[in-house]
Amino acid sequence: GQSLEQPSEVTAVEGAIVQINCTYQTSGFYGLSWYQQHDGGAPTFLSYNALDGLEETGRFSSFLSRSDSYGYLLLQELQMKDSASYFCAVRPNSGYSTLTFGKGTMLLVSP
Amino acid sequence: DAMVIQNPRYQVTQFGKPVTLSCSQTLNHNVMYWYQQKSSQAPKLLFHYYDKDFNNEADTPDNFQSRRPNTSFCFLDIRSPGLGDAAMYLCATSRDRDRAEVQFFGPGTRLTVL
């Protein structure tokens, strides 16, 4: 089976850097994805790590370490609009290979 | 712009009265997904279509059905909605099964059951 653990809530101030961790227990998967969801909105794809290491997209970076069963999303130069829920997700390499989501981390950015 | 469209955005139904939610996509993606999401929870996959091949999740209640008459459209039918079915229903697509990591979501339909 698959299990992904994320902190339920993280708070930070504008301009700061925040890291949202995702630890997982899964027998095997293709890669780690991150999605952003604003309150009342739909999830939006942010990034995907198929291989170990860091992927950077503007202010957002994502990291994966398969040996440590761990990944994170790093948000730099935080803005108020970054207040949202962030979900990590994996696609197991068995069965129909659909996404399994973590429970999500609510990020609250204050002035 | 290529996109995923869901109608209606808000749906109110009565307990036990069938309801149909619709989803269309202009991305020409092979895979379409239906998720149920309750407040402060992760999206829960109900089923997905790979082309016309229907795949039901093991714990999806029989009360939920789906149809995909063509590549562009997919419907979610709730035969007898209960109070516990009140939720946001999200439709998503991916280009193919091996690209399921990257999904494009519609804005969702918020279902209220009275």
Side-chain angles (χ1 to χ4, degrees):
Chain A
Q2 306 85 40
S3 171
L4 298 102
E5 296 293 328
Q6 304 178 236
S8 59
E9 188 174 301
V10 173
T11 59
V13 296
E14 269 188 306
I17 299 172
V18 73
Q19 178 174 311
I20 299 174
N21 297 325
C22 176
T23 58
Y24 56 84
Q25 293 181 347
T26 180
S27 53
F29 64 100
Y30 290 104
L32 185 69
S33 300
W34 287 92
Y35 284 78
Q36 178 193 60
Q37 185 177 28
H38 286 100
D39 190 32
T44 303
F45 172 78
L46 287 178
S47 69
Y48 171 61
N49 292 71
L51 303 174
D52 282 9
L54 192 68
E55 293 282 343
E56 297 180 75
T57 308
R59 293 187 298 114
F60 294 0
S61 303
S62 57
F63 174 83
L64 174 63
S65 170
R66 289 177 185 266
S67 60
D68 295 323
S69 298
Y70 164 73
Y72 66 73
L73 180 69
L74 189 74
L75 297 88
Q76 303 182 71
E77 301 173 21
L78 280 175
Q79 302 175 10
M80 296 290 288
K81 68 178 182 180
D82 297 330
S83 292
S85 291
Y86 293 84
F87 295 90
C88 61
V90 296
R91 181 167 76 95
N93 57 11
S94 63
Y96 290 115
S97 293
T98 52
L99 277 183
T100 297
F101 285 89
K103 293 184 178 180
T105 298
M106 181 176 291
L107 171 63
L108 301 172
V109 181
S110 58
Chain B
D1 286 340
M3 56 198 309
V4 181
I5 302 161
Q6 290 188 245
N7 286 303
R9 295 291 309 277
Y10 301 89
Q11 176 73 58
V12 180
T13 191
Q14 292 181 334
F15 183 94
K17 185 173 181 181
V19 66
T20 295
L21 311 181
S22 73
C23 176
S24 63
Q25 53 125 343
T26 61
L27 297 160
N28 202 32
H29 283 177
N30 284 328
V31 191
M32 296 187 77
Y33 309 83
W34 278 106
Y35 292 89
Q36 179 193 65
Q37 187 177 30
K38 297 187 176 180
S39 181
S40 301
Q41 296 184 20
K44 179 181 181 298
L45 183 65
L46 296 173
F47 23 60
H48 76 279
Y49 275 94
Y50 172 59
D51 196 12
K52 293 186 177 182
D53 181 25
F54 175 72
N55 300 279
N56 200 33
E57 293 300 298
D59 57 354
T60 298
D62 292 340
N63 196 27
F64 292 85
Q65 303 286 321
S66 185
R67 298 168 281 136
R68 189 180 185 186
N70 54 53
T71 300
S72 301
F73 285 87
C74 196
F75 299 96
L76 170 62
D77 301 308
I78 308 177
R79 293 193 295 187
S80 182
L83 298 179
D85 296 328
M88 176 75 88
Y89 289 88
L90 296 162
C91 174
T93 72
S94 66
R95 191 179 68 191
D96 215 326
R97 256 180 172 166
D98 61 1
R99 292 290 288 167
E101 295 87 352
V102 183
Q103 296 188 14
F104 296 82
F105 285 80
T109 295
R110 183 166 296 282
L111 178 68
T112 300
V113 182
L114 300 177

